[in-house]
Amino acid sequence: MNVEFSPLERQYKMYEEEYKKAICEVMESGWYILGERVQKFENAFAKYHDTQYCVGLNSGLDALIFAIKALGIGVGDEVIVPANTYIATVLAITQNGAVPIFVEPDQYYNLDAEKIEEKISSKTRAIIYVHLYGQPSRIDLVKEVADKYHLFLVEDCAQAHGAQYKKQKVGTFGDVGCFSFYPTKNLGAFGDGGAIITNKADIAEKIQAYRNYGSKVKYHCDIEGLNSRLDEIQAALLQVKFSHLEKLNEERQKLANYYDQNIHNAYILKPQKAKDATHVYHQYVVRCENRDKFQKYLEKNGIATQIHYPIPPHLQKCYQYLGYKNGDLPITEKYANEVISLPIYNGMTESEQQYVTAVINDFQLEG
Ligand SMILES: *Cc1c(COP(=O)(O)O)cnc(C)c1O
């Protein structure tokens, strides 16, 4: 049997007719940029989170860049960020001229709330928290630290649409919540897309201007902006998928539960569940001491996997100038060497999951 990593056409097929109808309506309307579909999606996404504002953007990276920019953070400032994250989280800081201060992860792969305080300096302005793989861990503690030191809190929710901590949705704990609608995300478009949510009018207004040349009133530019708009077709398609998000997340949780119950191999470490968290399993990430051997073994058996992520940001070539070397962030580096993401996607069949599980349970570290 062959099991792909993320065959997106399965999810498309579930709501095919709705997508086709949505896309045709936009084409026939003759209005393609910043119209009623974007507005409607923004309203629905804000309402779902019980926040005042949502601004649709071109990507998750832009959401993060604009969030940091709108908070007035730039050259000379420091921002606390998880060392164990996707590069985009860190790019949001450096693209604004600020310096990332890396903090090691907890056992749930997220920023370790207990290691933040020791990294705070007189230059620290904000903390970015990432709900990595779809699970929040100690965001309440992070919020306490942010409040104590008067720091802004930005949430990177790119992998965690609909996830909750103590029954509160992610994206609503800090000053700004940033989302990506990249096609593979739990709420994915059919192209690039992103959004921010916030309760602060000044942040929402600034980001609305940034996404549209810096212009609030047509042909009047008060600030220097960019072009980073969510387009009408993507908004219409997102509206369709968004109406099914809870069901899609439940399906992922059921698939994860199956792996939790049925993977039994002493060499494979399954993900741990954080207390009070609702995990939406953007990824189901396990660890193996000989990860490369395990990945090759799965590949030989027709099972596709991915590594999220093989090189941590502090060791990327683009950040050589920050001066980090191997061994500086040992927990992050250990995770980078051991993590591997198993196939988990909407439309995955029972027989596919049984097969993946059986192959994993037969894996031997030696020989
Ligand atoms: C995907 C992702 C981003 C970037 O989103 P894009 O829409 O691809 O720009 C940022 N942070 C995390 C954690 C992500 O997974």
Side-chain angles (χ1 to χ4, degrees), residues 57-64 84-90 129-133 156-161 178-185 191-195 282-283 308-309:
L57 300 164
N58 193 252
S59 72
L61 174 58
D62 279 357
L64 288 159
N84 188 52
T85 186
Y86 184 51
I87 191 83
T89 320
V90 185
Y129 185 88
V130 185
H131 306 281
L132 202 67
Y133 308 143
D156 181 343
C157 309
Q159 304 188 355
H161 316 72
C178 302
F179 292 84
S180 163
F181 305 127
Y182 182 80
T184 59
K185 308 283 160 125
D192 277 310
H282 173 59
Q283 301 297 352
H308 299 103
Y309 298 91

Side-chain angles (χ1 to χ4, degrees), residues 17-221:
E17 292 314 312
E18 288 178 71
Y19 289 130
K20 284 182 173 164
K21 185 165 167 281
I23 215 166
C24 282
E25 276 174 12
V26 177
M27 289 193 292
E28 283 163 13
S29 77
W31 193 275
Y32 308 126
I33 299 287
L34 294 185
E36 64 187 60
R37 271 105 190 159
V38 169
Q39 185 75 60
K40 196 173 154 206
F41 174 74
E42 288 173 341
N43 291 345
F45 204 63
K47 186 160 177 251
Y48 174 76
H49 289 95
D50 202 13
T51 54
Q52 291 266 311
Y53 308 97
C54 169
V55 185
L57 300 164
N58 193 252
S59 72
L61 174 58
D62 279 357
L64 288 159
I65 292 176
F66 291 165
I68 294 295
K69 202 172 157 75
L71 294 170
I73 296 166
V75 177
D77 296 328
E78 291 179 357
V79 177
I80 305 266
V81 67
N84 188 52
T85 186
Y86 184 51
I87 191 83
T89 320
V90 185
L91 287 172
I93 300 166
T94 57
Q95 293 283 10
N96 279 294
V99 178
I101 303 296
F102 297 108
V103 172
E104 290 266 52
D106 59 17
Q107 70 266 44
Y108 312 105
Y109 305 110
N110 289 329
L111 180 90
D112 189 336
E114 282 167 16
K115 292 181 180 156
I116 298 174
E117 276 191 270
E118 64 200 65
K119 296 290 181 90
I120 294 174
S121 80
S122 59
K123 293 179 183 164
T124 313
R125 298 283 314 283
I127 302 170
I128 305 185
Y129 185 88
V130 185
H131 306 281
L132 202 67
Y133 308 143
Q135 175 169 243
S137 46
R138 296 303 311 274
I139 183 80
D140 55 345
L141 235 175
V142 176
K143 173 84 178 124
E144 272 176 35
V145 177
D147 287 346
K148 183 172 164 192
Y149 292 90
H150 306 290
L151 306 175
F152 293 115
L153 176 58
V154 174
E155 291 173 75
D156 181 343
C157 309
Q159 304 188 355
H161 316 72
Q164 297 185 30
Y165 185 75
K166 292 189 175 160
K167 302 255 154 35
Q168 185 180 338
K169 291 206 175 69
V170 303
T172 63
F173 290 86
D175 297 277
V176 197
C178 302
F179 292 84
S180 163
F181 305 127
Y182 182 80
T184 59
K185 308 283 160 125
N186 289 37
L187 178 57
F190 291 72
D192 277 310
I196 63 98
I197 55 170
T198 184
N199 277 320
K200 306 208 159 143
D202 58 327
I203 293 175
E205 264 174 44
K206 274 187 196 154
I207 295 179
Q208 266 160 5
Y210 290 144
R211 76 169 170 189
N212 197 33
Y213 320 112
S215 170
K216 269 183 233 164
V217 179
K218 206 169 183 180
Y219 305 132
H220 292 257
C221 269

Side-chain angles (χ1 to χ4, degrees), residues 286-357:
V286 300
R287 283 198 352 246
C288 178
E289 262 179 54
N290 196 338
R291 190 260 318 278
D292 296 343
K293 181 175 178 179
F294 180 52
Q295 187 173 36
K296 279 202 192 87
Y297 163 82
L298 293 175
E299 195 189 332
K300 221 179 65 215
N301 285 283
I303 299 165
T305 56
Q306 285 189 15
I307 310 300
H308 299 103
Y309 298 91
I311 305 169
H314 71 282
L315 298 178
Q316 293 285 352
K317 210 168 169 184
C318 69
Y319 288 136
Q320 256 172 12
Y321 69 90
L322 291 172
Y324 289 92
K325 56 183 189 316
N326 237 310
D328 284 346
L329 292 155
I331 305 172
T332 299
E333 290 162 25
K334 181 179 161 69
Y335 287 172
N337 290 326
E338 295 183 357
V339 293
I340 174 165
S341 308
L342 304 181
I344 186 166
Y345 49 84
N346 296 117
M348 189 173 195
T349 66
E350 216 175 303
S351 62
E352 284 170 332
Q353 242 201 332
Q354 281 166 357
Y355 174 70
V356 173
T357 305

